[in-house]
Amino acid sequence: MTRTVLIVEDNELNLKLLDDLLQAEGYSTVCFRSGEEALPAIRRDPPDLILMDIRLSGLSGLDATRAIKGDLALKGIPVVAVTACAMAEDEQEIRAAGCDGFLAKPYSIDSLLAVLGRFLA
């Protein structure tokens, strides 16, 4: 069974890199550049996992995660924060918003695949 990963990333290069890598690993991907675009799609067709950039323009990744985790139909979807903000207080804020995992940029392919394996095993 192919697993679907929804990627929310506002940087075009980072989005393409994640999309290409995940597809090469056999995942189905759905990509969005903003939380405002992603939320309706998540509600319409829930993915198996969400990779959420935290620093998005408009609706932040933290606010989008709070909306997902506040929805009874969606709260079980793992949300993994992908961010360049890797200080201890940043991780606390990310966890408090409801993110299930944390991936600091720049990340290695191995660490990305390990996170995916942890949540999609």
Side-chain angles (χ1 to χ4, degrees):
M1 177 171 110
T2 302
R3 309 289 262 168
T4 301
V5 178
L6 186 135
I7 305 165
V8 186
E9 170 64 67
D10 60 355
N11 179 289
E12 190 66 39
L13 184 59
N14 290 343
L15 180 66
K16 177 145 180 48
L17 177 67
L18 274 172
D19 186 37
D20 289 348
L21 177 64
L22 294 179
Q23 287 189 34
E25 290 294 322
Y27 294 99
S28 173
T29 59
V30 182
C31 302
F32 294 95
R33 295 192 54 159
S34 74
E36 291 90 349
E37 293 174 340
L39 283 176
I42 293 166
R43 289 184 178 111
R44 191 172 47 253
D45 190 16
D48 296 300
L49 181 133
I50 299 167
L51 293 176
M52 180 73 71
D53 183 20
I54 294 305
R55 305 288 180 231
L56 298 168
S57 57
L59 183 69
S60 76
L62 294 178
D63 288 337
T65 299
R66 287 184 191 101
I68 293 162
K69 295 300 183 174
D71 185 321
L72 290 176
L74 305 177
K75 71 178 187 174
I77 301 169
V79 178
V80 176
V82 182
T83 183
C85 302
M87 304 294 289
E89 58 270 11
D90 295 321
E91 187 171 356
Q92 289 173 345
E93 182 182 16
I94 288 165
R95 297 267 185 207
C99 290
D100 302 286
F102 177 83
L103 195 57
K105 294 177 186 175
Y107 48 83
S108 69
I109 292 171
D110 289 341
S111 62
L112 172 64
L113 295 178
V115 166
L116 293 173
R118 187 171 120 215
F119 290 106
L120 296 176

